Amino acid sequence: MQHIKNQDLIHLNTFHIKAIARDFFIIENEQEIPLLLNSKDLVQTTPLILGSGSNILFVNNPHRPIIQLAFKRLQILERQSDYHIIEVEAGMKWDDLVRWSVMNNYYGLVNLSYIPSTVGAAPVQNIGAYGEEVGNFITHVHIYNTERQRFETLSHKECSFGYRTSIFKTALRGKAIITRIRLRLPTKPQFNLSYRDLHFLKDNPNLSLWLLRLTIGKIRMTKLPDPSIIGNAGSFFKNPIISPEKFSTLQSRYPQVPHYQMPDGKIKIPAGWLIDRLGLKGYRHGNAGVYENNALVLVNHGNATGKEILELSRIIQSKVKQAFDIDLVPEVNIIQ
Ligand code: EPU
């Protein structure tokens, strides 16, 4: 275990916001978790677990101690003819797992290629892209429950996965340190081409996991800025889910509004589309801005503070509320 005092977080968050963590710990194996939590350094505090820093906004220097998990082993637990069960430790980079799955001919995770995340962070907001969500493949999540002070295993059902949410954002928020996830990965070809920009691959005789990964990489490049060039955390807001009544009012004003029917009858609207309708692409607030190619992404034009990004997000929320009577909820974790 390492304990670093006054760790600069600028390279540990993809917004590249300057912030200092007074106490920063790197844990090398899961047995160190209870040792650290019961040590005098951490007793009576709620630490913050930092993954790849790609879904977080530091508004101030965090008061809470920060823990990074550095264990990243991958094991195949079970081999059946049409699926294998894989267990992966929390500290592995998400895309290292996806690349490994593609190299070894496992289907399923490929649509989640290139998402900046760690394996342990992936179930928290049930990362999703291009018609797929990680929850569709997770059978179990191993955690350390900081309240009960013990290791526990949650089944898929107990994780309560939903659109950009899970039990780790609700009942277990701040109480669970995810240490490992268990996945059931299909070994027989199955491609999810349900996302509109992937339809063109349907009749391609050369369709393969590698071709799909390459295509997803290309789509992402056109829609999402590379955080190593311009600081950002992907989608800043969740896509709002509205009632059929509110949707028909919106559709009567904008017959072309893109929308997705939810299983419960409600309708999901792309937040980026709403923000774009207000002409806010490229809008700036100090050093913070709306990305010029995608209105759902807020960017740091250089030296932006967390406060500036937060203020920009509030300006957008109030403009969207005024124009459409829709509440936008941040997808990014805001650390005040
Ligand atoms: N749109 C606009 N203007 C914009 C942005 C989008 O009109 O500036 C329209 C698009 O034309 C399209 C619709 O909005 O009709 C949806 O856009 P897109 O397919 O790019 O997806 P999204 O809703 O903006 C979601 C996820 C992304 C994920 C993509 C692809 C959320 C909050 N975001 O974005 O996830 O990559 O779908 O599946 O659900 C992330 O979570 O950080 C993330 C990038």
Side-chain angles (χ1 to χ4, degrees):
M1 185 186 324
Q2 291 179 55
H3 180 185
I4 303 164
K5 282 276 188 194
N6 299 320
Q7 169 71 48
D8 192 344
L9 299 171
I10 195 160
H11 299 301
L12 297 175
N13 73 96
T14 59
F15 259 126
H16 305 310
I17 298 294
K18 210 170 155 49
I20 304 289
R22 214 174 331 153
D23 289 294
F24 187 89
F25 298 89
I26 301 174
I27 291 187
E28 318 282 347
N29 65 67
E30 58 182 55
Q31 297 312 322
E32 290 180 351
I33 295 173
L35 293 178
L36 174 61
L37 296 182
N38 291 319
S39 72
K40 64 173 179 11
D41 288 323
L42 263 84
V43 103
Q44 290 192 333
T45 62
T46 310
L48 176 75
I49 313 300
L50 184 66
S52 61
S54 55
N55 203 42
I56 200 162
L57 176 67
F58 292 113
V59 179
N60 297 299
N61 289 336
H63 309 295
R64 295 153 63 185
I66 294 194
I67 300 180
Q68 234 186 8
L69 307 177
F71 37 96
K72 43 182 97 167
R73 208 167 38 138
L74 182 153
Q75 269 180 293
I76 300 173
L77 298 186
E78 193 184 321
R79 294 169 200 267
Q80 297 292 340
S81 63
D82 52 358
Y83 68 88
H84 289 179
I85 302 287
I86 318 287
E87 196 167 88
V88 199
E89 290 181 335
M92 181 183 272
K93 269 176 67 180
W94 172 257
D95 195 54
D96 286 352
L97 169 61
V98 177
R99 203 184 51 232
W100 175 90
S101 76
V102 168
M103 264 163 51
N104 291 283
N105 288 313
Y106 290 107
Y107 295 82
L109 300 186
V110 60
N111 290 41
L112 306 177
S113 285
Y114 304 111
I115 294 183
S117 175
T118 56
V119 164
V124 177
Q125 65 148 340
N126 187 18
I127 58 168
Y130 311 110
E132 210 52 273
E133 290 181 345
V134 70
N136 296 340
F137 302 97
I138 291 181
T139 64
H140 296 89
V141 174
H142 298 276
I143 65 165
Y144 183 79
N145 185 319
T146 57
E147 200 172 53
R148 296 184 179 154
Q149 303 194 11
R150 63 179 198 206
F151 288 99
E152 291 175 355
T153 301
L154 276 76
S155 67
H156 169 89
K157 199 157 177 265
E158 288 168 324
C159 293
S160 307
F161 291 117
Y163 165 63
R164 291 298 195 272
T165 193
S166 72
I167 194 165
F168 310 110
K169 288 194 86 168
T170 53
L172 286 180
R173 188 183 200 104
K175 295 178 194 159
I177 299 180
I178 295 172
T179 57
R180 279 176 278 151
I181 68 171
R182 198 175 281 191
L183 302 147
R184 183 187 201 271
L185 298 183
T187 50
K188 300 262 164 71
Q190 58 174 65
F191 294 100
N192 180 343
L193 304 177
S194 60
Y195 183 77
R196 201 182 32 225
D197 294 2
L198 297 175
H199 289 351
F200 77 99
L201 288 173
K202 272 187 181 146
D203 302 318
N204 187 325
N206 298 322
L207 180 58
S208 66
L209 284 166
W210 282 111
L211 179 62
L212 188 48
R213 181 167 161 84
L214 187 78
T215 309
I216 281 168
K218 284 188 188 159
I219 298 173
R220 291 184 69 89
M221 272 201 299
T222 64
K223 298 192 176 183
L224 297 165
D226 179 348
S228 66
I229 300 168
I230 183 161
N232 76 91
S235 303
F236 194 90
F237 300 103
K238 290 198 219 184
N239 287 334
I241 298 173
I242 62 174
S243 66
E245 296 75 38
K246 206 171 253 191
F247 175 67
S248 38
T249 315
L250 186 65
Q251 203 181 29
S252 59
R253 269 170 72 193
Y254 299 97
Q256 304 301 327
V257 54
H259 58 280
Y260 318 96
Q261 190 70 49
M262 302 299 284
D264 63 359
K266 292 189 174 164
I267 292 126
K268 188 159 81 177
I269 309 291
W273 183 88
L274 295 168
I275 302 167
D276 198 0
R277 292 290 74 64
L278 300 175
L280 291 174
K281 265 187 191 157
Y283 178 86
R284 277 182 84 134
H285 172 74
N287 291 316
V290 178
Y291 184 50
E292 56 196 12
N293 297 330
N294 184 346
L296 191 52
V297 179
L298 303 191
V299 294
N300 173 0
H301 284 295
N303 302 319
T305 60
K307 204 161 154 271
E308 277 175 316
I309 307 252
L310 181 65
E311 284 164 1
L312 172 62
S313 75
R314 293 197 170 141
I315 293 170
I316 294 168
Q317 281 172 314
S318 92
K319 285 181 188 283
V320 167
K321 178 74 180 170
Q322 213 178 3
F324 304 106
D325 191 27
I326 291 178
D327 293 300
L328 290 187
V329 176
E331 197 233 63
V332 166
N333 291 307
I334 296 171
I335 307 298
Q336 299 267 11

